[in-house]
Amino acid sequence: MTTEETHGAPQIGVLTSGGDAPGMNAAIRAVVRQSIYLGYRVRGIRRGFAGLFENRVVRLELSSVADIIKMGGTILHTARTPAMMTEEGLAQAVRALAEHQIAGLVVIGGDGSLRAAQALHERGVRVVGIPASIDNDIYGTDQAIGFDTAVNIVVEAMDRLRDTASAHERLFVVEVMGRESGAIALSAGLAGGAEAILIPEAPVDYEAIAERLHRSRARGKRHSLVVVAEGAGGAAPVADALRRLTGYEVRVTILGHLQRGGPPSAVDRILGGRLGTHAVRALAEGRSGIMVGMDAGRPVEVPLEQVAAGQRRPDLELARLAEVLAI
Ligand code: F6P
């Protein structure tokens, strides 16, 4: 094991890309520490793939990642980089990685970022991906970095909203993130005891929801919480429909980017550590074109080609369970 940069040692590059997710810093820390442990030098690329075009490549040492495990956001910053979907952009990225003598690249990000990683692999770059997205919609992993923290933030918000909802006998419609996925809505809705959960993956029956809400009020409940995924059309139309059908006083809360900030949960810190160290070991052992994900509690390697082509759908059994529990 070495603790300082060994001159001339091969270099591992690391970047975070797309929407930030709590726990990205834990993954960066793990990549840096495992790389140095194995005798590599580490380079951080700032602002995601954009940093390759802007020549924003920095040296990362053990001290660079001290105390970051508890921080949300990403110390490397991030960006969405549409140029990575063009031949020209990809060629430029390949050239920049060669110029900086990056022997292996770790890409930490969501499905778009992992598609770019696969495109780089196809062009000869040695690359390993780590799934990070609060949406938890990445194919090939049970859990992406950031999801657990986001769900906990929503549950805490629901607990607070229930107090004020009860005080006024109101119905709250809570909009949560998930552009194309109902994963946060389902898990948080279940954990927060929502009366109804609306997700893009399942049809909505407003009349059935209104009936359920009436039944629970008849039993003496003073509040109603309905969770709506952003990708299911957002809170406003749901609030209008339920106001019309129930006659209740309705309020809307859109949690938005609050769900992406703040300290990562213990689960996301541990996940970042496990995936980050595994990714570096895979590169060190000569593997490329894979994502390190989780399957049944263990890290697994999944070809990026499959990740890029697939789409993770939430477990709709959770939706049925939520209906039973909200009876
Ligand atoms: O992909 C994660 C996500 O948080 C989505 O749930 C949301 O729709 C989107 O990012 C928001 O993106 P931005 O931060 O660019 O507004």
Side-chain angles (χ1 to χ4, degrees):
M1 177 191 162
T2 55
T3 51
E4 280 172 22
E5 241 195 41
T6 315
H7 184 71
Q11 300 189 128
I12 300 282
V14 58
L15 61 81
T16 47
S17 166
D20 63 305
M24 277 182 160
N25 281 326
I28 295 170
R29 173 178 176 267
V31 168
V32 171
R33 294 204 167 161
Q34 178 71 82
S35 298
I36 294 174
Y37 183 88
L38 292 175
Y40 292 98
R41 291 180 288 162
V42 195
R43 296 294 177 260
I45 297 141
R46 290 198 183 278
R47 298 192 66 242
F49 293 104
L52 289 174
F53 307 138
E54 299 159 358
N55 204 20
R56 297 176 67 164
V57 179
V58 295
R59 178 172 158 169
L60 293 179
E61 296 168 86
L62 291 176
S63 60
S64 320
V65 294
D67 292 337
I68 68 168
I69 194 165
K70 61 180 191 282
M71 288 164 50
T74 154
I75 59 158
L76 289 175
H77 306 157
T78 184
R80 302 191 195 275
T81 315
M84 289 301 286
M85 291 188 297
T86 68
E87 267 312 323
E88 207 186 317
L90 287 165
Q92 204 183 335
V94 172
R95 276 198 304 276
L97 286 163
E99 275 161 23
H100 285 283
Q101 297 179 318
I102 304 291
L105 178 67
V106 179
V107 172
I108 305 167
D111 48 2
S113 310
L114 296 172
R115 266 195 293 277
Q118 163 63 7
L120 289 177
H121 169 71
E122 284 167 4
R123 285 156 185 79
V125 173
R126 306 198 68 75
V127 59
V128 171
I130 293 180
S133 164
I134 66 161
D135 291 354
N136 208 27
D137 58 351
I138 301 166
Y139 183 82
T141 186
D142 288 346
Q143 192 136 7
I145 291 171
F147 174 65
D148 183 73
T149 306
V151 168
N152 280 299
I153 292 169
V154 176
V155 172
E156 193 196 324
M158 288 175 70
D159 289 347
R160 290 172 191 275
L161 291 172
R162 182 178 292 105
D163 291 345
T164 175
S166 273
H168 288 268
E169 291 187 47
R170 283 173 173 160
L171 159 62
F172 268 79
V173 178
V174 186
E175 182 182 311
V176 301
M177 274 185 163
R179 200 172 9 213
E180 283 153 21
S181 165
I184 295 179
L186 271 181
S187 287
L190 257 179
E195 270 69 39
I197 305 170
L198 278 62
I199 57 172
E201 295 85 353
V204 187
D205 182 345
Y206 284 116
E207 314 245 317
I209 295 174
E211 220 180 283
R212 200 181 319 147
L213 294 175
H214 280 318
R215 275 202 310 269
S216 72
R217 292 278 171 129
R219 282 200 322 270
K221 248 192 185 175
R222 294 177 52 86
H223 62 262
S224 322
L225 292 182
V226 173
V227 176
V228 186
E230 173 190 9
V238 177
D240 289 345
L242 293 179
R243 190 178 285 117
R244 191 168 32 81
L245 288 170
T246 62
Y248 299 161
E249 205 181 338
V250 181
R251 292 288 184 273
V252 165
T253 299
I254 299 174
L255 293 175
H257 289 79
L258 277 177
Q259 293 159 92
R260 293 225 305 247
S265 66
V267 167
D268 280 325
R269 296 180 197 199
I270 294 167
L271 190 59
R274 293 181 87 178
L275 300 183
T277 49
H278 191 114
V280 173
R281 285 202 304 273
L283 281 171
E285 289 161 15
R287 296 192 289 290
S288 171
I290 53 164
M291 176 191 80
V292 185
M294 294 298 283
D295 182 23
R298 314 282 317 165
V300 287
E301 297 178 6
V302 187
L304 278 171
E305 198 178 357
Q306 280 178 25
V307 176
Q311 165 103 49
R312 183 179 197 279
R313 288 173 60 78
D315 183 358
L316 293 183
E317 187 51 38
L318 295 183
R320 281 185 283 277
L321 185 61
E323 275 188 28
V324 172
L325 295 177
I327 194 170

PDB file of all heavy atoms in Angstrom, residues 1-6 30-42 60-63 280:
ATOM      1  N   MET A   1       0.846  -1.218   0.000  1.00  0.00           N
ATOM      2  CA  MET A   1       0.000   0.000   0.000  1.00  0.00           C
ATOM      3  C   MET A   1       0.873   1.257   0.000  1.00  0.00           C
ATOM      4  O   MET A   1       1.880   1.329   0.679  1.00  0.00           O
ATOM      5  CB  MET A   1      -0.867  -0.001   1.255  1.00  0.00           C
ATOM      6  CG  MET A   1      -1.710   1.242   1.386  1.00  0.00           C
ATOM      7  SD  MET A   1      -2.476   1.361   3.003  1.00  0.00           S
ATOM      8  CE  MET A   1      -2.883   3.090   3.025  1.00  0.00           C
ATOM      9  N   THR A   2       0.451   2.258  -0.790  1.00  0.00           N
ATOM     10  CA  THR A   2       1.157   3.539  -0.781  1.00  0.00           C
ATOM     11  C   THR A   2       0.188   4.608  -0.308  1.00  0.00           C
ATOM     12  O   THR A   2      -1.016   4.481  -0.477  1.00  0.00           O
ATOM     13  CB  THR A   2       1.630   3.920  -2.202  1.00  0.00           C
ATOM     14  OG1 THR A   2       0.511   3.899  -3.045  1.00  0.00           O
ATOM     15  CG2 THR A   2       2.695   2.986  -2.714  1.00  0.00           C
ATOM     16  N   THR A   3       0.732   5.659   0.273  1.00  0.00           N
ATOM     17  CA  THR A   3      -0.159   6.750   0.704  1.00  0.00           C
ATOM     18  C   THR A   3       0.135   8.026  -0.060  1.00  0.00           C
ATOM     19  O   THR A   3      -0.588   8.996   0.042  1.00  0.00           O
ATOM     20  CB  THR A   3       0.014   7.024   2.210  1.00  0.00           C
ATOM     21  OG1 THR A   3       1.388   7.195   2.476  1.00  0.00           O
ATOM     22  CG2 THR A   3      -0.534   5.894   3.037  1.00  0.00           C
ATOM     23  N   GLU A   4       1.169   8.032  -0.856  1.00  0.00           N
ATOM     24  CA  GLU A   4       1.474   9.217  -1.649  1.00  0.00           C
ATOM     25  C   GLU A   4       1.548   8.835  -3.114  1.00  0.00           C
ATOM     26  O   GLU A   4       1.705   7.662  -3.450  1.00  0.00           O
ATOM     27  CB  GLU A   4       2.821   9.790  -1.210  1.00  0.00           C
ATOM     28  CG  GLU A   4       2.700  10.609   0.057  1.00  0.00           C
ATOM     29  CD  GLU A   4       4.056  11.009   0.591  1.00  0.00           C
ATOM     30  OE1 GLU A   4       5.007  11.023  -0.213  1.00  0.00           O
ATOM     31  OE2 GLU A   4       4.134  11.281   1.781  1.00  0.00           O
ATOM     32  N   GLU A   5       1.444   9.865  -3.984  1.00  0.00           N
ATOM     33  CA  GLU A   5       1.476   9.577  -5.409  1.00  0.00           C
ATOM     34  C   GLU A   5       2.808   8.990  -5.829  1.00  0.00           C
ATOM     35  O   GLU A   5       3.853   9.514  -5.472  1.00  0.00           O
ATOM     36  CB  GLU A   5       1.232  10.873  -6.176  1.00  0.00           C
ATOM     37  CG  GLU A   5       0.007  10.764  -6.986  1.00  0.00           C
ATOM     38  CD  GLU A   5      -0.140  11.833  -8.037  1.00  0.00           C
ATOM     39  OE1 GLU A   5       0.824  12.208  -8.707  1.00  0.00           O
ATOM     40  OE2 GLU A   5      -1.264  12.263  -8.184  1.00  0.00           O
ATOM     41  N   THR A   6       2.739   7.872  -6.557  1.00  0.00           N
ATOM     42  CA  THR A   6       3.964   7.264  -7.056  1.00  0.00           C
ATOM     43  C   THR A   6       4.204   7.816  -8.457  1.00  0.00           C
ATOM     44  O   THR A   6       3.368   7.637  -9.341  1.00  0.00           O
ATOM     45  CB  THR A   6       3.785   5.736  -7.136  1.00  0.00           C
ATOM     46  OG1 THR A   6       3.159   5.304  -5.932  1.00  0.00           O
ATOM     47  CG2 THR A   6       5.106   5.032  -7.318  1.00  0.00           C
ATOM     48  N   ALA A  30     -14.167   6.515  -2.061  1.00  0.00           N
ATOM     49  CA  ALA A  30     -13.787   5.100  -2.168  1.00  0.00           C
ATOM     50  C   ALA A  30     -12.897   4.868  -3.388  1.00  0.00           C
ATOM     51  O   ALA A  30     -11.926   4.106  -3.332  1.00  0.00           O
ATOM     52  CB  ALA A  30     -15.046   4.241  -2.249  1.00  0.00           C
ATOM     53  N   VAL A  31     -13.229   5.529  -4.502  1.00  0.00           N
ATOM     54  CA  VAL A  31     -12.416   5.370  -5.724  1.00  0.00           C
ATOM     55  C   VAL A  31     -10.994   5.865  -5.450  1.00  0.00           C
ATOM     56  O   VAL A  31     -10.003   5.206  -5.789  1.00  0.00           O
ATOM     57  CB  VAL A  31     -13.046   6.149  -6.907  1.00  0.00           C
ATOM     58  CG1 VAL A  31     -12.080   6.244  -8.085  1.00  0.00           C
ATOM     59  CG2 VAL A  31     -14.349   5.480  -7.343  1.00  0.00           C
ATOM     60  N   VAL A  32     -10.901   7.031  -4.822  1.00  0.00           N
ATOM     61  CA  VAL A  32      -9.573   7.614  -4.563  1.00  0.00           C
ATOM     62  C   VAL A  32      -8.778   6.710  -3.611  1.00  0.00           C
ATOM     63  O   VAL A  32      -7.626   6.360  -3.878  1.00  0.00           O
ATOM     64  CB  VAL A  32      -9.726   9.038  -3.969  1.00  0.00           C
ATOM     65  CG1 VAL A  32      -8.381   9.570  -3.477  1.00  0.00           C
ATOM     66  CG2 VAL A  32     -10.326   9.978  -5.011  1.00  0.00           C
ATOM     67  N   ARG A  33      -9.411   6.302  -2.540  1.00  0.00           N
ATOM     68  CA  ARG A  33      -8.667   5.530  -1.528  1.00  0.00           C
ATOM     69  C   ARG A  33      -8.271   4.149  -2.047  1.00  0.00           C
ATOM     70  O   ARG A  33      -7.143   3.708  -1.837  1.00  0.00           O
ATOM     71  CB  ARG A  33      -9.490   5.418  -0.254  1.00  0.00           C
ATOM     72  CG  ARG A  33      -9.651   6.802   0.359  1.00  0.00           C
ATOM     73  CD  ARG A  33      -9.917   6.787   1.818  1.00  0.00           C
ATOM     74  NE  ARG A  33      -9.739   8.144   2.342  1.00  0.00           N
ATOM     75  CZ  ARG A  33     -10.221   8.572   3.484  1.00  0.00           C
ATOM     76  NH1 ARG A  33     -10.911   7.759   4.246  1.00  0.00           N
ATOM     77  NH2 ARG A  33      -9.996   9.800   3.886  1.00  0.00           N
ATOM     78  N   GLN A  34      -9.193   3.479  -2.745  1.00  0.00           N
ATOM     79  CA  GLN A  34      -8.855   2.151  -3.275  1.00  0.00           C
ATOM     80  C   GLN A  34      -7.767   2.271  -4.351  1.00  0.00           C
ATOM     81  O   GLN A  34      -6.859   1.439  -4.416  1.00  0.00           O
ATOM     82  CB  GLN A  34     -10.106   1.483  -3.864  1.00  0.00           C
ATOM     83  CG  GLN A  34      -9.859   0.119  -4.490  1.00  0.00           C
ATOM     84  CD  GLN A  34      -9.551  -0.968  -3.466  1.00  0.00           C
ATOM     85  OE1 GLN A  34     -10.430  -1.548  -2.848  1.00  0.00           O
ATOM     86  NE2 GLN A  34      -8.266  -1.250  -3.272  1.00  0.00           N
ATOM     87  N   SER A  35      -7.831   3.313  -5.163  1.00  0.00           N
ATOM     88  CA  SER A  35      -6.813   3.494  -6.220  1.00  0.00           C
ATOM     89  C   SER A  35      -5.441   3.693  -5.587  1.00  0.00           C
ATOM     90  O   SER A  35      -4.463   3.043  -5.977  1.00  0.00           O
ATOM     91  CB  SER A  35      -7.138   4.716  -7.092  1.00  0.00           C
ATOM     92  OG  SER A  35      -8.360   4.538  -7.747  1.00  0.00           O
ATOM     93  N   ILE A  36      -5.368   4.583  -4.614  1.00  0.00           N
ATOM     94  CA  ILE A  36      -4.067   4.869  -3.983  1.00  0.00           C
ATOM     95  C   ILE A  36      -3.565   3.623  -3.243  1.00  0.00           C
ATOM     96  O   ILE A  36      -2.385   3.286  -3.290  1.00  0.00           O
ATOM     97  CB  ILE A  36      -4.174   6.119  -3.078  1.00  0.00           C
ATOM     98  CG1 ILE A  36      -4.451   7.341  -3.955  1.00  0.00           C
ATOM     99  CG2 ILE A  36      -2.899   6.311  -2.251  1.00  0.00           C
ATOM    100  CD1 ILE A  36      -4.723   8.629  -3.212  1.00  0.00           C
ATOM    101  N   TYR A  37      -4.490   2.923  -2.622  1.00  0.00           N
ATOM    102  CA  TYR A  37      -4.136   1.673  -1.917  1.00  0.00           C
ATOM    103  C   TYR A  37      -3.466   0.696  -2.892  1.00  0.00           C
ATOM    104  O   TYR A  37      -2.526  -0.011  -2.530  1.00  0.00           O
ATOM    105  CB  TYR A  37      -5.420   1.067  -1.342  1.00  0.00           C
ATOM    106  CG  TYR A  37      -5.219  -0.181  -0.520  1.00  0.00           C
ATOM    107  CD1 TYR A  37      -4.968  -0.106   0.846  1.00  0.00           C
ATOM    108  CD2 TYR A  37      -5.292  -1.447  -1.110  1.00  0.00           C
ATOM    109  CE1 TYR A  37      -4.796  -1.252   1.612  1.00  0.00           C
ATOM    110  CE2 TYR A  37      -5.111  -2.592  -0.359  1.00  0.00           C
ATOM    111  CZ  TYR A  37      -4.869  -2.495   0.995  1.00  0.00           C
ATOM    112  OH  TYR A  37      -4.689  -3.621   1.742  1.00  0.00           O
ATOM    113  N   LEU A  38      -3.958   0.687  -4.123  1.00  0.00           N
ATOM    114  CA  LEU A  38      -3.398  -0.247  -5.120  1.00  0.00           C
ATOM    115  C   LEU A  38      -2.195   0.338  -5.864  1.00  0.00           C
ATOM    116  O   LEU A  38      -1.660  -0.297  -6.768  1.00  0.00           O
ATOM    117  CB  LEU A  38      -4.484  -0.652  -6.134  1.00  0.00           C
ATOM    118  CG  LEU A  38      -5.629  -1.514  -5.578  1.00  0.00           C
ATOM    119  CD1 LEU A  38      -6.696  -1.745  -6.648  1.00  0.00           C
ATOM    120  CD2 LEU A  38      -5.108  -2.852  -5.068  1.00  0.00           C
ATOM    121  N   GLY A  39      -1.811   1.567  -5.524  1.00  0.00           N
ATOM    122  CA  GLY A  39      -0.606   2.145  -6.125  1.00  0.00           C
ATOM    123  C   GLY A  39      -0.849   3.006  -7.357  1.00  0.00           C
ATOM    124  O   GLY A  39       0.085   3.369  -8.064  1.00  0.00           O
ATOM    125  N   TYR A  40      -2.117   3.336  -7.651  1.00  0.00           N
ATOM    126  CA  TYR A  40      -2.417   4.215  -8.790  1.00  0.00           C
ATOM    127  C   TYR A  40      -2.351   5.683  -8.366  1.00  0.00           C
ATOM    128  O   TYR A  40      -2.460   6.008  -7.187  1.00  0.00           O
ATOM    129  CB  TYR A  40      -3.835   3.953  -9.319  1.00  0.00           C
ATOM    130  CG  TYR A  40      -4.011   2.611  -9.979  1.00  0.00           C
ATOM    131  CD1 TYR A  40      -4.555   1.538  -9.284  1.00  0.00           C
ATOM    132  CD2 TYR A  40      -3.627   2.416 -11.300  1.00  0.00           C
ATOM    133  CE1 TYR A  40      -4.716   0.305  -9.885  1.00  0.00           C
ATOM    134  CE2 TYR A  40      -3.790   1.188 -11.902  1.00  0.00           C
ATOM    135  CZ  TYR A  40      -4.331   0.132 -11.190  1.00  0.00           C
ATOM    136  OH  TYR A  40      -4.476  -1.083 -11.793  1.00  0.00           O
ATOM    137  N   ARG A  41      -2.222   6.549  -9.358  1.00  0.00           N
ATOM    138  CA  ARG A  41      -2.479   7.974  -9.138  1.00  0.00           C
ATOM    139  C   ARG A  41      -3.938   8.227  -9.535  1.00  0.00           C
ATOM    140  O   ARG A  41      -4.496   7.470 -10.330  1.00  0.00           O
ATOM    141  CB  ARG A  41      -1.545   8.823 -10.014  1.00  0.00           C
ATOM    142  CG  ARG A  41      -0.088   8.746  -9.568  1.00  0.00           C
ATOM    143  CD  ARG A  41       0.795   9.596 -10.453  1.00  0.00           C
ATOM    144  NE  ARG A  41       0.943   8.995 -11.766  1.00  0.00           N
ATOM    145  CZ  ARG A  41       1.356   9.658 -12.851  1.00  0.00           C
ATOM    146  NH1 ARG A  41       1.642  10.945 -12.777  1.00  0.00           N
ATOM    147  NH2 ARG A  41       1.482   9.049 -14.017  1.00  0.00           N
ATOM    148  N   VAL A  42      -4.529   9.293  -8.997  1.00  0.00           N
ATOM    149  CA  VAL A  42      -5.949   9.551  -9.300  1.00  0.00           C
ATOM    150  C   VAL A  42      -6.129  10.964  -9.840  1.00  0.00           C
ATOM    151  O   VAL A  42      -5.537  11.925  -9.321  1.00  0.00           O
ATOM    152  CB  VAL A  42      -6.857   9.380  -8.050  1.00  0.00           C
ATOM    153  CG1 VAL A  42      -8.318   9.279  -8.471  1.00  0.00           C
ATOM    154  CG2 VAL A  42      -6.456   8.166  -7.232  1.00  0.00           C
ATOM    155  N   LEU A  60      -6.102  14.161  -7.386  1.00  0.00           N
ATOM    156  CA  LEU A  60      -6.802  13.839  -6.139  1.00  0.00           C
ATOM    157  C   LEU A  60      -5.889  12.986  -5.263  1.00  0.00           C
ATOM    158  O   LEU A  60      -5.321  11.995  -5.728  1.00  0.00           O
ATOM    159  CB  LEU A  60      -8.106  13.069  -6.422  1.00  0.00           C
ATOM    160  CG  LEU A  60      -9.219  13.830  -7.144  1.00  0.00           C
ATOM    161  CD1 LEU A  60     -10.421  12.914  -7.376  1.00  0.00           C
ATOM    162  CD2 LEU A  60      -9.663  15.072  -6.370  1.00  0.00           C
ATOM    163  N   GLU A  61      -5.778  13.405  -4.013  1.00  0.00           N
ATOM    164  CA  GLU A  61      -4.937  12.659  -3.076  1.00  0.00           C
ATOM    165  C   GLU A  61      -5.807  12.219  -1.902  1.00  0.00           C
ATOM    166  O   GLU A  61      -6.982  12.573  -1.823  1.00  0.00           O
ATOM    167  CB  GLU A  61      -3.818  13.568  -2.591  1.00  0.00           C
ATOM    168  CG  GLU A  61      -2.911  13.962  -3.737  1.00  0.00           C
ATOM    169  CD  GLU A  61      -1.979  15.075  -3.328  1.00  0.00           C
ATOM    170  OE1 GLU A  61      -0.930  14.736  -2.775  1.00  0.00           O
ATOM    171  OE2 GLU A  61      -2.314  16.242  -3.536  1.00  0.00           O
ATOM    172  N   LEU A  62      -5.188  11.530  -0.965  1.00  0.00           N
ATOM    173  CA  LEU A  62      -5.968  11.078   0.205  1.00  0.00           C
ATOM    174  C   LEU A  62      -6.611  12.272   0.901  1.00  0.00           C
ATOM    175  O   LEU A  62      -7.769  12.232   1.307  1.00  0.00           O
ATOM    176  CB  LEU A  62      -5.070  10.306   1.179  1.00  0.00           C
ATOM    177  CG  LEU A  62      -4.588   8.938   0.679  1.00  0.00           C
ATOM    178  CD1 LEU A  62      -3.640   8.308   1.686  1.00  0.00           C
ATOM    179  CD2 LEU A  62      -5.769   8.012   0.410  1.00  0.00           C
ATOM    180  N   SER A  63      -5.853  13.353   1.016  1.00  0.00           N
ATOM    181  CA  SER A  63      -6.382  14.526   1.729  1.00  0.00           C
ATOM    182  C   SER A  63      -7.532  15.189   0.962  1.00  0.00           C
ATOM    183  O   SER A  63      -8.364  15.871   1.561  1.00  0.00           O
ATOM    184  CB  SER A  63      -5.268  15.544   1.968  1.00  0.00           C
ATOM    185  OG  SER A  63      -4.736  15.946   0.728  1.00  0.00           O
ATOM    186  N   VAL A 280     -12.838   0.178  -8.871  1.00  0.00           N
ATOM    187  CA  VAL A 280     -11.383   0.312  -9.065  1.00  0.00           C
ATOM    188  C   VAL A 280     -10.725  -1.072  -9.168  1.00  0.00           C
ATOM    189  O   VAL A 280      -9.859  -1.298 -10.022  1.00  0.00           O
ATOM    190  CB  VAL A 280     -10.749   1.137  -7.920  1.00  0.00           C
ATOM    191  CG1 VAL A 280      -9.233   1.130  -8.009  1.00  0.00           C
ATOM    192  CG2 VAL A 280     -11.279   2.566  -7.956  1.00  0.00           C
TER     193      VAL A 280
END
